[in-house]
Amino acid sequence: MSRGGMLGRKVLFSLLTIFVVLVINFVLFRVLPGDPVRAVIGRNVKLSAEAQQTLREQFGLDKPIFPDQFLDTLGQWARGNLGISWSLRRPVAEILAAKLWNTLLLIGLGQVLSIVLGILLGLLAGWKRKTPFDVFALTFSLIAWATPTFWLGIILLAAGSTWLGLPTGGLVSPENVGKPLYTVLPDLARHLVLPTLTLTILYLGEYMLIMRSSILEVLSEDYILTAKAKGMTPWQVLWKHALKNAMLPIVTLIALNLGFTVSGAIYIETVFSYDGLGKLFQTALVKQDYPLLQGAFLLLAVSVIAANLLADVLYVLLDPRVKPT
Amino acid sequence: MSEPPLLRVRHLTTEFLLADAGQRARAVEDVSFDVYPGQTVGLVGESGCGKTTVLMSILRLLPANAEIRGQVFFRGIDLLTLTERQMRERRWKDISIVFQGAMNALNPVMRVGEQIREAITLHGLMPPNEAEVRVGELLELVGIPKERGAQYPFQYSGGMRQRAMIAMALACSPGLLFADEPTTALDVMVQAQILELLQGIQRKLGLAIVLVTHDLGVVAEMCDTVVVMYSGKVVEYGPVDVIFNAPQHPYTQNLLQAFPDLARPGTVLACIPGAPPRLTDLPPGCRFAPRCPARMQWCDAEVPILREVQPAHFAACHLVKDV
Ligand SMILES: Nc1ncnc2c1ncn2[C@@H]1O[C@H](COP(=O)(O)OP(=O)(O)OP(=O)(O)O)[C@@H](O)[C@H]1O
Ligand code: SF4
Ligand SMILES: [Mg+2]
């Protein structure tokens, strides 16, 4: 099979996985306790049996679960209709889309910073192995990697707001809420400092450790000795021969981490009262807002699957050795 | 030989500083030999006797824990006194190397042709477009169709990879080529082809080769001079026919007995009992003494020095008398 064929198969496999997730998602929210009708109209409202029956018919709940309800739901999802949030009374898809950008902004910044810094530091640490710099970087990374998100978040929040006067939470200051973000950039930036810093420190450790061990492994390879024997400077060896080989595991890690963007946002957004997907999920969970949770699960699953696919594709593009199987 | 030697190694001594408490492993001690233009010198000895370390010391490619002393004159210039930068400029241009078991000596994510071209342009020998042509010529010289330069190492067989390494080693037309057991990882048929290739290239280009090998048959066929090493030291050194016909050192004699004689089939393969000493725990006198069948009393007390048995033939053994 050609490399193109292999990629095609991976895409197909991803789609299949998404379908399985859809089925699970559907089943899961049918077996959970709770009456959708009661939930929509509120628990304390008295409603006649006939009225309840009418509502059931409206929601399509009088039909058999399989195949009618299942196919109906799939059709709805395919059209981007994820139902109506019980607690917010707005279409789930619309709510998710609105918060997605905020989260992508926060996590994206944190990821980009930690990737760039982590790779550089890991490269230097591995190259200058056993020097004080390496020992320091290694210790820092191990601690950073082991630190719980909310703990570091709270410490930085306390320190940053007390000593630097940075805002304690939110996306923008109260007076700027509702304005388009690009009009209040300085305010937005001030709010992003602490959560971004927290995320950067947390992810940095992992990238640095992987990069360090990866570069150490590559530097011990025979082809590195060949490059030195050719008369290359240490920098040329590092740049032309070591880096691309050492980047292979990192690229996969980056792609996989992107998949956890959404779930990773839950802690950080809760700590910093940041108005993104993470906080939305937390609210949905507390309020038992099933349609919203269902939409959230779908988004989580799809992003993880898409990230896996991306990792596979990147690996095939970067490493000529990946053989069609 | 009237010509001056291309490479003159004198009293080369290499120690590795070990991690635990200032221990030193003297992997190479007081090694001296000459390589003349167009000549092939065989470097033989058991595994761990320091053959690779000699080559790496000359090229100054050892890790930072290595300490090198002595002199290594290449065309009269002592390489060990050069700055790192001056040394870099000489690598590959003066001396190139084909590594031991070189299955991974090519970068797996870089096209083979590109890796060869890089060696040429790195030293600024020719502009990129000419280098491209030269890469094609080099590949054809070692018997690889030049279109395959666009492929990656994993698409090559083991023998082809070694051919590509040889092509790369020739890229800057060096005067001297180090071949460190160039065929160990290959099967017998391919081994023969690679050695034939090396011989052909040497005849065509007139370059000198230092060949490290375990195979005395290869030495007999390819080499002009032999350096026999034991436990980091040269025990015998001389022209190939003299070494093979009249070996003076008991270790060399043992090695030759251990080597099955194709001319006399059925002779029993003698092997040398025991193992070489550990580098951190060397015997005080002759290093071969614990295994030597001809050992005498003072062999344990006194280190034998390298003596000239007859012109150009040296051996380090108390049995040997000066000419
Ligand atoms: N970086 C190093 N640090 C410490 N000791 C080393 C190092 N490199 C080599 N040695 C030691 O030096 C000695 C000589 O090794 P070397 O690789 O030169 O032997 P060799 O003759 O090439 O053996 P082989 O035939 O197996 O290739 C060995 O005892 C080895 O353990
Ligand atoms: S010096 Fe003594 S022990 Fe060493 S090789 Fe000669 S005879 Fe044997
Ligand atoms: Mg070796």
Side-chain angles (χ1 to χ4, degrees), chain B residues 98-106 142 144 153 156-166 179-198 211-215 218:
Chain B
V98 174
F99 288 111
Q100 182 166 10
M103 285 306 91
N104 304 313
L106 293 165
V142 298
I144 298 175
Y156 280 34
S157 67
M160 272 185 79
R161 273 184 237 181
Q162 201 57 306
R163 283 168 189 273
M165 264 313 287
I166 293 172
D180 190 354
E181 299 187 37
T183 58
T184 29
L186 307 170
D187 65 62
V188 186
M189 281 303 291
V190 183
Q191 283 188 8
Q193 291 168 3
I194 295 286
L195 290 170
E196 224 166 88
L197 173 71
L198 275 176
L211 178 69
V212 172
T213 177
H214 287 288
D215 191 337
V218 172

Side-chain angles (χ1 to χ4, degrees), chain B residues 37-68:
Chain B
Q39 207 194 22
T40 301
V41 173
L43 202 53
V44 297
E46 277 167 296
S47 187
C49 71
K51 305 179 295 290
T52 301
T53 308
V54 167
L55 301 186
M56 292 307 203
S57 301
I58 295 169
L59 290 168
R60 291 175 48 185
L61 284 174
L62 289 170
N65 70 331
E67 217 179 81
I68 311 171

Side-chain angles (χ1 to χ4, degrees), chain B residues 13 19 34 41 58 111 124 141 145 155 174 182 193 196 199 206 247 274 309 311:
Chain B
T13 300
D34 291 330
V41 173
I58 295 169
R111 294 174 201 280
L141 180 68
Q155 291 163 302
Q193 291 168 3
E196 224 166 88
Q199 270 182 307
V309 190

Side-chain angles (χ1 to χ4, degrees), chain B residues 58-306:
Chain B
I58 295 169
L59 290 168
R60 291 175 48 185
L61 284 174
L62 289 170
N65 70 331
E67 217 179 81
I68 311 171
R69 292 193 301 273
Q71 287 112 37
V72 174
F73 298 101
F74 186 85
R75 294 198 174 116
I77 295 167
D78 186 355
L79 298 182
L80 299 185
T81 62
L82 298 181
T83 62
E84 174 57 30
R85 190 199 164 121
Q86 289 169 324
M87 186 66 211
R88 264 202 307 271
E89 282 164 9
R90 300 195 158 258
R91 287 190 191 123
W92 221 255
K93 219 160 63 173
D94 285 342
I95 310 175
S96 61
I97 179 165
V98 174
F99 288 111
Q100 182 166 10
M103 285 306 91
N104 304 313
L106 293 165
N107 186 339
V109 299
M110 206 167 159
R111 294 174 201 280
V112 175
E114 168 62 19
Q115 298 187 49
I116 299 175
R117 199 183 57 74
E118 177 189 72
I120 303 170
T121 47
L122 181 73
H123 290 283
L125 295 181
M126 43 180 82
N129 54 332
E130 278 176 47
E132 206 55 58
V133 179
R134 168 108 172 117
V135 169
E137 290 167 3
L138 285 164
L139 285 171
E140 310 249 277
L141 180 68
V142 298
I144 298 175
K146 61 169 175 275
E147 306 79 52
R148 298 198 62 172
Q151 290 185 328
Y152 291 95
F154 79 90
Q155 291 163 302
Y156 280 34
S157 67
M160 272 185 79
R161 273 184 237 181
Q162 201 57 306
R163 283 168 189 273
M165 264 313 287
I166 293 172
M168 189 152 93
L170 300 174
C172 301
S173 313
L176 178 59
L177 171 71
F178 287 167
D180 190 354
E181 299 187 37
T183 58
T184 29
L186 307 170
D187 65 62
V188 186
M189 281 303 291
V190 183
Q191 283 188 8
Q193 291 168 3
I194 295 286
L195 290 170
E196 224 166 88
L197 173 71
L198 275 176
Q199 270 182 307
I201 281 167
Q202 180 171 36
R203 270 197 296 273
K204 209 181 284 180
L205 307 178
L207 82 169
I209 296 180
V210 174
L211 178 69
V212 172
T213 177
H214 287 288
D215 191 337
L216 292 171
V218 172
V219 174
E221 196 177 321
M222 288 189 64
C223 299
D224 303 295
T225 306
V226 187
V227 180
V228 183
M229 286 184 69
Y230 183 78
S231 186
K233 298 185 83 164
V234 175
V235 292
E236 190 156 9
Y237 168 45
V240 68
D241 47 331
V242 177
I243 298 280
F244 271 75
N245 294 320
Q248 294 299 309
H249 197 284
Y251 178 64
T252 317
Q253 291 164 356
N254 266 307
L255 268 189
L256 288 167
Q257 278 160 23
F259 171 63
D261 192 342
L262 295 179
R264 278 178 296 156
T267 41
V268 185
L269 199 93
C271 72
I272 312 171
R278 273 188 306 168
L279 294 179
T280 47
D281 185 21
L282 292 170
C286 172
R287 292 187 184 179
F288 189 55
R291 298 167 79 189
C292 182
R295 172 185 182 180
M296 296 164 293
Q297 236 173 359
W298 64 89
C299 294
D300 289 320
E302 216 176 300
V303 181
I305 57 157
L306 202 64

Side-chain angles (χ1 to χ4, degrees), chain A residues 50-235:
Chain A
E50 295 87 70
Q52 284 194 23
Q53 187 54 33
T54 323
L55 268 175
R56 266 176 213 291
E57 277 165 27
Q58 264 181 19
F59 281 112
L61 292 173
D62 56 330
K63 292 190 210 138
I65 287 186
F66 193 85
D68 301 56
Q69 280 194 37
F70 179 64
L71 291 180
D72 187 48
T73 312
L74 276 193
Q76 295 287 343
W77 284 345
R79 265 169 273 141
N81 183 1
L82 300 179
I84 308 285
S85 157
W86 292 347
S87 59
L88 298 169
R89 316 246 161 180
R90 282 185 15 233
V92 170
E94 195 184 298
I95 302 170
L96 288 177
K99 306 288 181 191
L100 182 64
W101 293 113
N102 293 353
T103 294
L104 282 182
L105 177 68
L106 173 65
I107 306 280
L109 262 176
Q111 281 283 350
V112 168
L113 279 173
S114 57
I115 288 168
V116 172
L117 288 174
I119 286 177
L120 279 175
L121 290 179
L123 207 60
L124 275 176
W127 197 33
K128 302 275 172 211
R129 191 156 84 112
K130 289 183 181 162
T131 59
F133 173 78
D134 178 34
V135 175
F136 171 77
L138 197 60
T139 316
F140 172 80
S141 299
L142 282 169
I143 294 174
W145 201 5
T147 307
T149 311
F150 62 90
W151 186 83
L152 182 66
I154 288 170
I155 298 284
L156 287 180
L157 184 69
S161 57
T162 318
W163 293 322
L164 301 175
L166 288 167
T168 54
L171 182 63
V172 287
S173 304
E175 70 272 18
N176 286 332
V177 172
K179 294 184 192 165
L181 286 183
Y182 59 87
T183 59
V184 289
L185 283 181
D187 187 37
L188 178 66
R190 274 168 53 80
H191 282 78
L192 279 172
V193 170
L194 288 176
T196 305
L197 186 65
T198 311
L199 278 176
T200 306
I201 292 176
L202 288 170
Y203 283 112
L204 179 70
E206 190 182 6
Y207 288 124
M208 203 217 95
L209 287 171
I210 304 276
M211 189 65 198
R212 181 181 176 276
S213 71
S214 176
I215 194 79
L216 279 180
E217 198 181 313
V218 167
L219 286 179
S220 72
E221 297 278 356
D222 289 347
Y223 55 83
I224 296 297
L225 196 58
T226 306
K228 285 184 197 157
K230 279 180 178 174
M232 301 185 109
T233 65
W235 274 111

